[in-house]
Amino acid sequence: MAECGASGSGSSGDSLDKSITLPPDEIFRNLENAKRFAIDIGGSLTKLAYYSTVQHKVAKVRSFDHSDKDTEQDHEPPYEISVQEEVTARLHFVKFENTYIEACLDFIKDHLVNTETKVIQATGGGAYKFKDLIEEKLQLKVDKEDVMTCLIKGCNFVLKNIPQEAFVYQKGSNPEFRFQTHQPSVFPYLLVSVGSGVSIVKVETEDRFEWIGGSSIGGGTFWGLGALLTKTKSFDELLHLASRGQHANVDMLVQDIYGGAHQTLGLSGNLIASSFGKSATADTEFSKEDMAKSLLHMISNDIGQLACLYAKLHCLDRVYFGGFFIRGHPVTMRTITYSINFFSKGEVQALFLRHEGYLGAIGAFLKGAEQDNPNQYSWEENYAGSSGLMSSSPELCPTQRARSGTFDLLEMDRLERPLVNLPLLLDPSSYVPDTVDLTDDALARKYWLTCFEEALDGVVKRAVASQPGSVDAAERAEKFRQKYWDKLQTLRYQPFAYGTLTVRSLLDTREHCLNEFNFPDPYSKVKQKDNGVALKCFQRVIHSLDALGWEERQLALVKGLLAGNVFDWGAKAVSDVLESDPQFGFEEAKRKLQERPWLVDSYSNWLQRLKGPPHKCALIFADNSGVDVILGVFPFVRELLSRGTEVILACNSGPALNDVTYSESLIVAERIAAMDPVVRSALREERLLLTRTGSSSPCLDLSRLDKGLAVLVRERGADLVVIEGMGRAVHTNYHAALRCESLKLAVIKNSWLAERLGGRLFSVIFKYEVPAE
């Protein structure tokens, strides 16, 4: 969008004079189920927020009813799968130019089937200007909300719910955008809103903030003086001129005054001594570009110094910038960043927000939705329905974009339960889930993007196969393919579009796109079959383990965990084997494992630890269904239980690839309990507890876990964390520091990654870590 500095002027708007030509699902999605609206109208942009209920398919599992049977059939699957409709809540945010407000309101009115809303919350200067138009078009009463309150509410909301929201901008570095990690507490901070003027607000808590200063020299000053100097009326055109200018042609620099002597004063010769200083004495005409650049520096330096002084005065080191003047423009962010860094000597950080344009609309929405307690829930950005930073709407091809102006989209899904930090993180403020930053690592980025592109055919095939009775499965799968392909192409050229690019974010985006087209669990049938096969082998595996001596058994249990981890349909090297050799099983997987010493091998330390007192409680994050959880994890769990250790087994809340879900784990545990007295009594006595992670990802973010899991960890005094799987223990959490002992186990099933780590395919990671005293 022009809004975010990308192409597309949206100046003609011919196609929007009477109606929007794009399909309703492309921009104003799910309007028929809209429940509540809010609107923020600025000088040039309108930001619309609405809440809707979204119906989507979910794969449900449940045990067969065997009450009327004497025995189970040997060929019968361990549970049945049904696809059901579920209703969830979604927040939609759409940003567009005021030129199109009338057409957009017409479009919304025409597509609203039913709404519970009788009032629309409105903020921004345009809330007054367009009040009558909104009430007439939508037949809703307009309630005007305080601009600053809305901005603060919106800012708190995005900082709390979008981990990759805030970023530092560093022009010329690679990458230019560096995103902040999730903060356990976002408070206190300074919010500098640069609109026509400048407002500076100190935010201390969710509801406590105060306006502490400001200035009349802001975006309006830049625009007004710029128009007088350059005769350019467009704000974006003025910024474009500034990006091409040389301010030193107009500004008087330190070196212009002191010559070479500036070095003896300890000053940089390139420092601006006087903005526009050369214009008083020079006889030459200055270019529009140079004047615009000088003006931008003058305004930005003034704002930066002011913000820096207020930050120092109130002992704050985090300053978030937003408002019409910023709007994601690189040239503006660069000058603000330079100014803050210069005046604070690097002690105060200038931070920008991916969705700062939506803060007012989000805040206005929250003001009108207080009876629904939106802040009691956790929300998640839906990558499938959101535009990226500095990129146009992902749904629109260039010809559509040029035809329909500039639109920017953000969608957020309400999660079933609140998400919190794992209490066992050593330092939540410095925790980074991801091992490799693909935004930073160009070689890794190129490899993984290509890898995900090449895997698309297989995912499409699996998605269609998971719904054999559906007449439109193939058509929906093709739409999924196109959408995910488009996302991957955006990320090739703008890897920062959705925050720090990682293997985790690529996997999550794929899951979001699958859900978008009603493929809730493409691997449900695969998991059902694999779980059935593994359950039949469970007793044999247990008998063979029980026959071993203690030390021999510990190694066999670990090898079983690792062999189970081989069964990962997300890894091409494995899925190729599983597709071509249906007989490939547990013993074959063991033979594929690297011999000791492993690539990372602290097994001897682990064995020594096991000779000591038992752990109080182990938290185990399970990975794959079938052989992994049943023949790898459960025997390991059983051994810990036999030692007197309680176990919390955490599985995904929702499906991703062939990972075991919480609902599947309940059935698996029930079936194992029927065969094994150790597991049976542990479940009955609540020494073995099954819980959900709060995640639907093949990776694991320990800063966003189900609140119920965190409560259990505290109550049971967990002193051992076991993380297994390539996604959970290598792509994420490889460097995670915990306050207790931890085991990180994985088999590297990707040859490129294995080579990068100094190993080969099926190399083993066995990382036992003890926190420093």
Side-chain angles (χ1 to χ4, degrees):
M1 314 195 14
E3 157 72 10
C4 292
S7 61
S9 66
S11 55
S12 67
D14 292 341
S15 65
L16 282 172
D17 287 343
K18 299 297 178 190
S19 65
I20 293 172
T21 57
L22 294 171
D25 282 350
E26 299 287 0
I27 296 173
F28 298 101
R29 289 149 52 91
N30 210 44
L31 267 176
E32 66 278 8
N33 295 319
K35 304 292 182 192
R36 189 175 289 109
F37 287 91
I39 199 162
D40 173 16
I41 310 175
S44 63
L45 294 167
T46 295
K47 286 77 70 175
L48 179 77
Y50 61 99
Y51 160 93
S52 75
T53 51
V54 182
Q55 274 201 314
H56 64 106
K57 288 183 167 57
V58 290
K60 295 280 190 181
V61 298
R62 62 172 191 154
S63 292
F64 284 108
D65 180 8
H66 293 296
S67 55
D68 58 342
K69 298 182 184 178
D70 294 331
T71 58
E72 294 179 31
Q73 298 298 312
D74 195 48
H75 59 273
E76 189 180 75
Y79 51 82
E80 60 179 329
I81 306 167
S82 61
V83 175
Q84 298 172 17
E85 292 283 342
E86 256 188 17
V87 176
T88 54
R90 179 172 288 173
L91 289 177
H92 307 255
F93 303 98
V94 184
K95 192 187 323 178
F96 52 89
E97 294 162 8
N98 287 353
T99 318
Y100 311 129
I101 187 167
E102 197 160 346
C104 287
L105 291 173
D106 277 336
F107 187 88
I108 292 163
K109 181 186 71 175
D110 292 344
H111 289 86
L112 271 181
V113 176
N114 165 44
T115 179
E116 300 164 4
T117 308
K118 301 301 174 203
V119 175
I120 183 167
Q121 260 63 37
T123 190
Y128 296 85
K129 182 178 177 182
F130 293 103
K131 176 178 181 291
D132 293 342
L133 177 68
I134 296 166
E135 290 187 337
E136 177 198 334
K137 294 282 187 188
L138 297 184
Q139 298 294 299
L140 299 173
K141 180 178 178 292
V142 170
D143 256 6
K144 293 184 287 294
E145 298 288 352
D146 175 65
V147 172
M148 196 51 63
T149 304
C150 291
L151 273 176
I152 302 302
K153 274 189 170 292
C155 192
N156 290 342
F157 184 83
V158 295
L159 288 173
K160 177 183 166 187
N161 288 289
I162 304 180
Q164 301 280 317
E165 177 61 31
F167 62 89
V168 175
Y169 183 75
Q170 298 168 311
K171 176 69 178 172
S173 66
N174 187 17
E176 292 186 333
F177 298 82
R178 290 199 177 271
F179 293 88
Q180 301 295 289
T181 55
H182 174 72
Q183 297 290 326
S185 173
V186 300
F187 308 110
Y189 65 85
L190 209 63
L191 179 63
V192 180
S193 180
V194 191
S196 300
V198 180
S199 288
I200 301 178
V201 184
K202 179 185 178 182
V203 185
E204 295 182 276
T205 68
E206 199 75 53
D207 301 306
R208 194 167 78 243
F209 60 87
E210 63 172 319
W211 184 87
I212 57 172
S215 171
S216 62
I217 300 171
T221 317
F222 174 67
W223 198 352
L225 283 176
L228 290 172
L229 289 167
T230 68
K231 309 303 178 193
T232 300
K233 296 295 184 185
S234 161
F235 187 85
D236 285 320
E237 177 57 26
L238 197 58
L239 278 171
H240 186 57
L241 287 174
S243 69
R244 302 202 307 264
Q246 298 294 325
H247 75 94
N249 293 336
V250 182
D251 293 340
M252 189 175 288
L253 307 182
V254 166
Q255 66 191 15
D256 296 323
I257 298 175
Y258 292 100
H262 67 83
Q263 292 175 332
T264 61
L265 300 171
L267 294 172
S268 164
N270 292 322
L271 278 180
I272 299 172
S274 174
S275 294
F276 287 91
K278 287 178 181 171
S279 59
T281 55
D283 294 327
T284 56
E285 285 286 320
F286 296 107
S287 73
K288 291 180 178 181
E289 288 83 357
D290 292 348
M291 289 191 291
K293 187 61 169 278
S294 174
L295 183 61
L296 181 68
H297 273 291
M298 184 178 83
I299 303 293
S300 297
N301 284 334
D302 188 60
I303 293 167
Q305 185 171 28
L306 196 61
C308 180
L309 289 170
Y310 274 108
K312 291 264 193 180
L313 184 65
H314 292 270
C315 303
L316 298 171
D317 59 3
R318 275 182 293 174
V319 183
Y320 295 106
F321 287 88
F324 177 78
F325 184 65
I326 310 294
R327 296 192 303 146
H329 282 288
V331 67
T332 314
M333 294 190 296
R334 179 187 183 183
T335 50
I336 290 273
T337 298
Y338 177 84
S339 174
I340 282 276
N341 192 54
F342 176 80
F343 288 115
S344 75
K345 296 184 171 62
E347 290 176 11
V348 177
Q349 203 167 38
L351 291 156
F352 304 95
L353 302 168
R354 280 174 55 213
H355 302 104
E356 65 87 15
Y358 287 122
L359 302 187
I362 292 171
F365 175 83
L366 294 172
K367 284 282 286 180
E370 283 168 345
Q371 68 268 36
D372 291 339
N373 300 315
N375 275 318
Q376 286 187 5
Y377 297 92
S378 287
W379 298 78
E380 178 181 59
E381 181 178 8
N382 177 11
Y383 296 135
S386 299
S387 308
L389 179 68
M390 308 282 288
S391 62
S392 302
S393 168
E395 282 77 15
L396 311 185
C397 69
T399 53
Q400 285 177 314
R401 243 181 265 135
R403 197 174 69 238
S404 54
T406 55
F407 287 83
D408 184 80
L409 313 172
L410 166 64
E411 286 187 355
M412 298 186 72
D413 291 326
R414 192 177 80 187
L415 302 176
E416 196 180 329
R417 296 144 72 96
L419 301 182
V420 297
N421 280 309
L422 177 68
L424 297 170
L425 280 173
L426 183 64
D427 178 16
S429 64
S430 65
Y431 168 69
V432 178
D434 305 288
T435 307
V436 179
D437 179 348
L438 302 183
T439 325
D440 205 6
D441 190 331
L443 273 177
R445 177 169 75 245
K446 184 180 178 185
Y447 171 78
W448 285 109
L449 285 168
T450 303
C451 196
F452 277 90
E453 285 172 359
E454 289 173 351
L456 247 179
D457 282 345
V459 179
V460 168
K461 178 183 167 189
R462 183 65 56 198
V464 175
S466 72
Q467 297 181 2
S470 171
V471 291
D472 66 343
E475 182 188 342
R476 283 185 287 114
E478 278 307 311
K479 287 180 179 175
F480 151 73
R481 181 206 299 274
Q482 191 56 55
K483 174 159 254 187
Y484 189 54
W485 177 267
D486 289 345
K487 294 283 183 191
L488 292 174
Q489 303 327 301
T490 294
L491 292 167
R492 272 199 185 278
Y493 299 103
Q494 291 162 323
F496 49 77
Y498 294 95
T500 303
L501 182 64
T502 62
V503 172
R504 174 169 64 101
S505 67
L506 289 169
L507 285 162
D508 289 350
T509 304
R510 189 167 71 185
E511 293 301 321
H512 291 181
C513 291
L514 281 165
N515 280 313
E516 180 80 11
F517 296 102
N518 269 324
F519 293 106
D521 194 355
Y523 289 83
S524 57
K525 296 278 196 295
V526 172
K527 291 187 290 181
Q528 182 193 43
K529 180 186 169 192
D530 289 352
N531 285 332
V533 169
L535 280 167
K536 290 182 175 66
C537 303
F538 179 78
Q539 284 177 300
R540 175 171 54 79
V541 168
I542 292 300
H543 288 322
S544 64
L545 285 167
D546 286 347
L548 298 173
W550 182 83
E551 197 158 315
E552 202 181 350
R553 185 165 73 251
Q554 302 317 307
L555 182 59
L557 283 162
V558 165
K559 283 187 172 177
L561 260 178
L562 294 165
N565 193 241
V566 169
F567 290 82
D568 180 358
W569 282 86
K572 191 174 186 303
V574 176
S575 59
D576 286 349
V577 170
L578 296 175
E579 292 276 15
S580 61
D581 181 8
Q583 301 307 310
F584 184 84
F586 193 44
E587 297 306 319
E588 287 77 8
K590 282 183 189 172
R591 287 194 286 273
K592 275 200 175 287
L593 292 179
Q594 174 191 19
E595 291 295 323
R596 287 194 68 200
W598 296 319
L599 183 61
V600 175
D601 192 338
S602 45
Y603 174 74
S604 299
N605 295 344
W606 170 246
L607 184 66
Q608 197 58 39
R609 171 63 185 86
L610 288 178
K611 291 174 181 174
H615 296 90
K616 186 176 189 301
C617 177
L619 167 63
I620 301 178
F621 290 99
D623 188 12
N624 306 304
S625 290
V627 171
D628 195 354
V629 71
I630 293 165
L631 304 186
V633 172
F634 263 98
F636 186 77
V637 166
R638 185 176 174 271
E639 183 75 12
L640 288 173
L641 291 167
S642 301
R643 280 172 56 81
T645 301
E646 293 183 344
V647 176
I648 301 167
L649 183 61
C651 301
N652 268 10
S653 296
L657 295 171
N658 66 313
D659 293 356
V660 61
T661 63
Y662 168 68
S663 54
E664 289 160 354
S665 74
L666 293 176
I667 295 173
V668 164
E670 173 193 304
R671 296 292 298 274
I672 288 174
M675 296 184 264
D676 186 80
V678 176
V679 173
R680 184 163 61 247
S681 65
L683 283 170
R684 189 174 60 243
E685 295 160 14
E686 296 188 345
R687 290 182 293 110
L688 171 57
L689 299 155
L690 275 63
T691 187
R692 64 193 86 209
T693 61
S695 168
S696 298
S697 170
C699 295
L700 184 63
D701 181 351
L702 297 176
S703 68
R704 284 174 68 82
L705 291 177
D706 189 283
K707 193 175 180 179
L709 184 154
V711 169
L712 268 181
V713 164
R714 279 199 190 93
E715 285 178 353
R716 297 298 172 115
D719 54 355
L720 171 67
V721 174
V722 181
I723 305 175
E724 64 126 1
M726 201 164 73
R728 289 164 179 77
V730 179
H731 291 313
T732 51
N733 299 303
Y734 191 72
H735 301 302
L738 300 171
R739 289 195 288 111
C740 67
E741 295 172 51
S742 64
L743 276 179
K744 297 168 186 176
L745 307 96
V747 177
I748 308 301
K749 293 149 292 194
N750 177 285
S751 50
W752 181 87
L753 180 61
E755 194 175 318
R756 250 211 172 192
L757 292 170
R760 53 184 174 76
L761 200 61
F762 300 112
S763 286
V764 167
I765 304 282
F766 187 93
K767 200 176 185 188
Y768 170 57
E769 294 176 313
V770 180
E773 288 296 328

